Amino acid sequence: LPPKSVRIAVETESSYPLSAPLKVGDVIKAWGVYIDDTTSKFSVNIVGDIGIFLLLVDFRPWADTIVLNNKAYGYWQAEVRPACSRSTFVSGDTFKVTIEVLEGEYKISF
């Protein structure tokens, strides 16, 4: 069967349940319009059962970084902060992020 696609208009502080658990090969796509480096951050979080953050992807242009993390059993784990220059983004342009579910990890592209 072909993969299912769902489009959701995301708003600030909103959650959207998945129709089924994630599996290897699934792809999550999110997008928005970038304004400037003084606006709030852009985040995509994958949250599992009982509030476990399977993945936090938090773009912080004002700090020239992306924060990657997960939260298990009530505790945030060690952050990974790859550099991401604010000059990567252009004011007024659509910003896209893709998260691919791989075996034991995620691949994040933007």
Side-chain angles (χ1 to χ4, degrees):
L1 296 173
K4 294 180 182 176
S5 177
V6 177
R7 288 186 170 212
I8 300 171
V10 176
E11 296 182 17
T12 304
E13 304 280 331
S14 297
S15 298
Y16 300 93
L18 298 173
S19 59
L22 291 174
K23 62 185 182 312
V24 172
D26 284 346
V27 177
I28 297 169
K29 295 180 180 180
W31 59 91
V33 176
Y34 178 76
I35 303 301
D36 62 39
D37 63 359
T38 63
T39 60
S40 23
K41 60 189 178 180
F42 175 82
S43 302
V44 178
N45 301 311
I46 301 173
V47 182
D49 294 334
I50 61 171
I52 296 173
F53 278 72
L54 303 172
L55 177 66
L56 170 135
V57 182
D58 193 34
F59 291 85
R60 299 181 183 178
W62 72 89
D64 293 318
T65 193
I66 303 169
V67 175
L68 305 173
N69 205 344
N70 67 311
K71 183 179 185 182
Y73 309 105
Y75 298 98
W76 286 106
Q77 306 303 303
E79 290 182 347
V80 175
R81 289 180 171 245
C84 180
S85 173
R86 68 189 78 195
S87 65
T88 303
F89 308 102
V90 177
S91 182
D93 279 4
T94 300
F95 172 82
K96 299 175 186 176
V97 61
T98 301
I99 302 171
E100 298 175 59
V101 180
L102 305 177
E103 187 67 45
E105 63 186 1
Y106 298 97
K107 177 182 177 185
I108 303 160
S109 307
F110 62 95

